[in-house]
Amino acid sequence: MLPTVLYFSEDGMQSDGMEFEGAEASGIQHGVLDELARKGYLAVAADVRGIGETRASSSSSLSSEPFGQLFNFDTAMSYAAWSMNQSLMGMRVLDVIRSVDYVMEREGANANNLHVIGKGTAALWCLYAAVFDERIRSLTCDQCLLSYRSITESDRYLYGADVFI
């Protein structure tokens, strides 16, 4: 059985899933997933709903503007979820847990050695999933929101509605 790593990124699995890092894949440094595989890990990357391969093909030009998070796709999805008495954050946490289900069914996966990595907003999904799923034995949160207090104490912040439960 291989030590198992499940990886999520707010930009989707393709952002760090390439063989090499760098703007032009110069080959100077191997990507994080490639490095893990080379070290003998079963490395699996996944996208949650609305991220990466499941992101809508059209995007608003306003989302790249300052405070564009107020008008982006994730904010619209959050409001749509709330109108159905759901939470986009909760749905994405559930997607992480279902990804754990999938990975644990893979041949060679080590149920006693599952590590989850979340990058950016994905770190929040993974953090909440680790609270609810004891199979997640260890967790790395990279470039994550430090605390919700940091949002409430600021009059302007760069997080969208998708980080709220």
Side-chain angles (χ1 to χ4, degrees):
M1 296 204 161
L2 299 171
T4 306
V5 174
L6 182 56
Y7 182 85
F8 296 90
S9 172
E10 67 182 7
D11 297 322
M13 64 182 170
Q14 290 296 330
S15 66
D16 295 312
M18 301 309 221
E19 185 176 357
F20 298 105
E21 288 182 343
E24 297 175 11
S26 61
I28 295 173
Q29 184 177 9
H30 289 282
V32 63
L33 299 173
D34 185 54
E35 277 296 320
L36 289 167
R38 289 173 183 269
K39 291 179 179 178
Y41 288 86
L42 172 61
V44 178
D47 286 334
V48 298
R49 66 189 78 200
I51 300 296
E53 294 293 316
T54 66
R55 183 174 291 281
S57 58
S58 64
S59 62
S60 169
S61 60
L62 295 173
S63 63
S64 61
E65 299 294 321
F67 303 104
Q69 78 277 8
L70 300 173
F71 309 103
N72 69 12
F73 180 70
D74 286 344
T75 297
M77 281 183 47
S78 295
Y79 284 106
W82 290 331
S83 74
M84 297 181 291
N85 204 26
Q86 297 288 320
S87 161
L88 179 60
M89 172 68 87
M91 291 181 205
R92 288 177 170 171
V93 169
L94 184 61
D95 291 344
V96 170
I97 293 171
R98 292 298 161 248
S99 297
V100 171
D101 292 341
Y102 171 76
V103 168
M104 290 297 99
E105 292 178 4
R106 304 233 356 173
E107 186 176 327
N110 187 342
N112 295 319
N113 194 0
L114 174 63
H115 182 80
V116 175
I117 300 172
K119 183 176 178 183
T121 308
L124 284 176
W125 316 326
C126 296
L127 181 63
Y128 286 116
V131 168
F132 294 114
D133 194 329
E134 62 187 26
R135 296 173 298 176
I136 300 174
R137 302 295 175 117
S138 63
L139 173 68
T140 299
C141 295
D142 184 26
Q143 301 173 15
C144 180
L145 175 66
L146 220 38
S147 74
Y148 283 100
R149 175 171 277 175
S150 66
I151 292 177
T152 62
E153 291 178 346
S154 174
D155 62 340
R156 295 185 182 113
Y157 51 86
L158 298 178
Y159 287 93
D162 58 310
V163 300
F164 299 112
I165 299 171

